[in-house]
Amino acid sequence: MLQNTTLLFDFDSTFTQVEALDVLGDIVLSGPDKQQKLELIASVTRRGMLGEVSFRQSLEKRMEILGGTRTDIEKLVRILKTKVSKSITENKSFFLQHADNIYIISSGFKEFIIPVVKDFGIAPDHVYANTFVWDKNQSITGFDRANPLSQDGGKPEVVRKLPIEGKIVVIGDGYTDYEIKKAGAADVFVAFTENVNRPPVSERADFIASNFYNFLNFITNGTKTV
């Protein structure tokens, strides 16, 4: 099915039903202003996904509020494993069969993405994402600012360097996913709306998949016409 085709999946709100940093906030934040901070994190995430603020601004603002430890990330991973998108879970065999042709390209963090997607056969070297910076007590102090995926326009830059040939199809819910196609680094952009539909993103898509079954139908029959 995927002969000469590579699939690039976003992670947050695409592979999973949730935004991982929002969930991390619920784990690590406390005190009377917890709800206010959670709402701010969600708002910043949403504006970044719509392209209303730059991704770097969105990431920096969220990391100013968040923190956490290795133990918190382990707890986050356990939660995320229960939050994989329903139709993706139901098609786990597809991922196991085609893992060599699947990459995760995410503005999230490897520390929680790799343990989740490995259950679907996706190897660590097929995961491109940010990484946390840790102190000697294994607490998060920030993120690797040199990583292209922490910067504006990072996804197209990373995709151009992938060791792949043939058709490239991007599947995601955010503006940064669309930017890969916009920059000419992919052939097709599919807006995945099972978990969230962002109209400014969907209206730019070559195809809108309301679930993974829709996507499979498209990849089997539809990409020839795009």
Side-chain angles (χ1 to χ4, degrees), residues 12 19-25 28-29 37-49 53-67 106-109 112 130 132 140 142-143 149-150 176 198:
D12 295 289
E19 293 288 327
L21 292 186
D22 293 1
V23 180
L24 180 62
V28 304
L29 297 175
K37 289 181 177 179
L38 288 174
E39 290 173 359
L40 178 57
I41 292 170
S43 174
V44 172
T45 299
R46 183 169 57 253
R47 293 184 67 199
M49 290 298 97
V53 298
S54 73
F55 172 74
R56 185 59 172 256
Q57 288 176 309
S58 171
L59 181 60
E60 288 181 337
K61 186 63 177 178
R62 285 177 289 169
M63 293 304 297
E64 285 175 10
I65 301 170
L66 288 167
S106 174
S107 301
F109 288 80
F112 55 73
N130 284 298
F132 292 118
I140 298 169
F143 59 92
L149 289 167
S150 76
T176 58
R198 310 183 200 276

Side-chain angles (χ1 to χ4, degrees), residues 67-112:
T69 65
R70 293 281 184 185
T71 300
D72 293 324
I73 296 301
E74 290 169 1
K75 183 175 182 180
L76 174 61
V77 168
R78 290 195 294 271
I79 294 172
L80 292 178
K81 285 187 175 185
T82 72
K83 297 293 185 180
V84 175
S85 296
K86 182 174 183 292
S87 66
I88 286 180
T89 298
E90 292 170 348
N91 286 279
K92 185 175 183 178
S93 60
F94 174 90
F95 288 84
L96 294 172
Q97 180 180 353
H98 298 288
D100 289 345
N101 296 79
I102 297 172
Y103 288 78
I104 302 293
I105 310 293
S106 174
S107 301
F109 288 80
K110 287 184 177 182
E111 286 89 342
F112 55 73

Side-chain angles (χ1 to χ4, degrees), residues 126-217:
H126 276 219
V127 176
Y128 290 78
N130 284 298
T131 54
F132 292 118
V133 174
W134 306 84
D135 67 16
K136 63 181 181 180
N137 297 316
Q138 297 301 296
S139 294
I140 298 169
T141 61
F143 59 92
D144 178 6
R145 293 173 175 271
N147 188 322
L149 289 167
S150 76
Q151 302 167 22
D152 298 339
K155 286 190 176 182
E157 179 182 343
V158 167
V159 172
R160 288 192 184 99
K161 296 178 180 178
L162 291 179
I164 55 178
E165 298 179 352
K167 184 185 290 291
I168 299 175
V169 179
V170 179
I171 308 97
D173 66 286
Y175 191 81
T176 58
D177 305 308
Y178 160 69
E179 284 184 325
I180 301 173
K181 164 74 183 296
K182 180 182 178 182
D187 302 288
V188 177
F189 169 58
V190 175
F192 190 80
T193 63
E194 178 173 328
N195 305 304
V196 59
N197 184 8
R198 310 183 200 276
V201 176
S202 297
E203 68 187 16
R204 292 171 167 83
D206 298 299
F207 181 74
I208 299 173
S210 60
N211 54 54
F212 196 69
Y213 295 100
N214 291 161
F215 173 74
L216 287 178
N217 183 63

